[in-house]
Amino acid sequence: EDQVTQSPEALRLQEGESSSLNCSYTVSGLRGLFWYRQDPGKGPEFLFTLYSAGEEKEKERLKATLTKKESFLHITAPKPEDSATYLCAVRRTTGKLIFGQGTTLQVKP
Amino acid sequence: GAGVSQSPRYKVAKRGQDVALRCDPISGHVSLFWYQQALGQGPEFLTYFQNEAQLDKSGLPSDRFFAERPEGSVSTLKIQRTQQEDSAVYLCASSSPTRDRVKSPLHFGNGTRLTVT
């Protein structure tokens, strides 16, 4: 059965304290791994898509990496405005996304 | 419009009432998805349209849930005889046509928060 597991469920960091979020997955027919950011009361906002093991993508303080079984979202020197829930999702050949439960990040000044 | 638009933003229904939730996708997007998100959880897939064709409705939790997209643009998710367990945020997403539709990211609206009392 397709499954996406994110850890930790919650993460509290001091401003400037770098860390990583994990997304492990089991899915047949993977057609990409997606990272989204979700702010309270808003819909998920697209960040990255990764397609093959070894691939990396960067955007400002965020870098996403992919292996055959997991993906990491590295946050370098985070700021309070990076506080949000980060969602990982995998896409099957049918096109639909299967989401993990998310990691809620809080960055304190 | 600039993004996916959903209405209403909030809906309170008494148990047993029918509700209809509307989604306006980004213009030109052929694929449209509905998701249900419970508090503190990730979105759960409900159904998927390509143009007006409903290609996957495997995530609809019961026959009280019905979705349509008659002209391949605006979509409506209808829930009949609402129950308390239907309380959630209902998200709509669309994706742009590319050579490989499967690779296109989904762009989400801000959702409709449904509360059943």
Side-chain angles (χ1 to χ4, degrees):
Chain A
E1 184 182 329
D2 299 340
Q3 199 163 7
V4 179
T5 303
Q6 293 188 245
S7 62
E9 287 188 10
L11 182 61
R12 298 174 72 175
L13 300 173
Q14 288 295 127
E15 185 171 1
E17 180 187 1
S18 301
S19 188
S20 295
L21 282 56
N22 176 264
C23 170
S24 62
Y25 64 90
T26 54
V27 64
S28 56
L30 179 69
R31 287 294 193 94
L33 185 138
F34 296 75
W35 281 99
Y36 282 83
R37 169 190 171 129
Q38 187 172 28
D39 292 295
K42 299 290 182 71
E45 176 188 348
F46 172 70
L47 292 173
F48 304 110
T49 311
L50 302 165
Y51 295 110
S52 55
E55 189 175 359
E56 297 183 354
K57 293 262 179 88
E58 283 190 67
K59 181 179 179 180
E60 295 181 358
R61 295 176 292 280
L62 301 177
K63 182 168 83 170
T65 61
L66 181 66
T67 71
K68 286 188 177 180
K69 292 187 177 182
E70 57 190 351
S71 176
F72 291 93
L73 184 65
H74 307 279
I75 304 176
T76 302
K79 298 182 177 182
E81 54 261 41
D82 294 322
S83 298
T85 295
Y86 290 86
L87 295 164
C88 165
V90 296
R91 196 168 209 173
R92 300 189 63 208
T93 52
T94 55
K96 69 184 181 186
L97 292 183
I98 302 168
F99 282 87
Q101 79 276 24
T103 293
T104 299
L105 172 66
Q106 185 180 31
V107 181
K108 295 204 160 189
Chain B
V4 177
S5 178
Q6 293 188 245
S7 60
R9 284 283 284 129
Y10 304 93
K11 177 69 180 178
V12 178
K14 290 187 177 179
R15 189 163 58 93
Q17 283 185 332
D18 298 348
V19 298
L21 312 180
R22 177 188 168 103
C23 172
D24 273 281
I26 295 172
S27 178
H29 281 197
V30 300
S31 299
L32 186 146
F33 299 78
W34 283 99
Y35 281 81
Q36 180 190 61
Q37 187 173 26
L39 189 65
Q41 301 296 315
E44 295 276 347
F45 171 79
L46 293 176
T47 187
Y48 160 55
F49 290 85
Q50 188 166 305
N51 295 304
E52 68 279 2
Q54 190 174 19
L55 300 185
D56 186 348
K57 53 182 181 180
S58 61
L60 296 176
S62 77
D63 59 8
R64 297 186 295 103
F65 287 71
F66 173 75
E68 60 183 6
R69 194 186 185 197
E71 297 179 359
S73 178
V74 171
S75 178
T76 304
L77 176 67
K78 297 179 179 178
I79 309 173
Q80 297 176 323
R81 304 181 304 281
T82 52
Q83 304 293 316
Q84 281 193 316
E85 60 262 28
D86 299 335
S87 296
V89 174
Y90 291 85
L91 294 165
C92 176
S94 66
S95 64
S96 66
T98 65
R99 180 170 295 180
D100 185 347
R101 289 198 177 95
V102 178
K103 288 189 173 182
S104 304
L106 271 58
H107 300 275
F108 284 84
N110 286 328
T112 294
R113 180 177 296 278
L114 173 65
T115 303
V116 182
T117 61

